[in-house]
Each structure stands twice: as C-alpha cells, then as structure tokens.
Amino acid sequence: LPVTASVLNTAAVFLMTEAIMLLLGYRFNIFTHLYTKLGPLICYNIVFAWPIHCAVRWLHKKTADKK
C-alpha cells in the first residue's frame, strides 16, 4: 500500500505540474513528457520506496512492544 500511494502521489504531482506549465503558456508534447519524465520518476519511486518500506516495517517489528 505505501508503494502504491507513492506511485499515485508521484503521478498526481506530475500531472498538476504539467497543468500549471500548460496554464503558464509552455508548449510541449504531453505524451512525450509522460514517457520521458513520468516513467523514470515512477520507476525511481518503485525501486527506492519498496526497500525503504521493508526496512521500516522490519524496524517497527523489532522495536514494537511485545504484549
């Protein structure tokens, strides 16, 4: 779930940024930006968010109070 939330957040921020750029008058091909900018951002988040999530979960299990 955290990795999915990270990917969705990345896509949402990217789309908001692109919308602002369009409103400011920048002209670009949205599909090219999706492929060249959003694709690597999502891959980056998947590659780094998953191991960090696993490490935090492991640390939480190790440090949690046992009842």
Side-chain angles (χ1 to χ4, degrees):
L1 187 62
V3 175
T4 304
S6 175
V7 168
L8 291 176
N9 183 44
T10 301
V13 168
F14 176 80
L15 292 174
M16 284 188 279
T17 304
E18 296 294 311
I20 290 170
M21 287 177 60
L22 284 172
L23 290 172
L24 289 173
Y26 289 96
R27 298 290 173 230
F28 55 88
N29 187 345
I30 188 77
F31 297 109
T32 303
H33 272 217
L34 286 173
Y35 179 72
T36 61
K37 296 192 188 241
L38 184 60
L41 284 173
I42 288 178
C43 290
Y44 176 82
N45 275 334
I46 290 171
V47 166
F48 289 105
W50 180 255
I52 289 175
H53 169 67
C54 291
V56 169
R57 189 177 61 198
W58 179 78
L59 279 172
H60 178 68
K61 286 181 182 178
K62 285 289 193 185
T63 60
D65 292 335
K66 298 192 179 192
K67 294 181 181 182

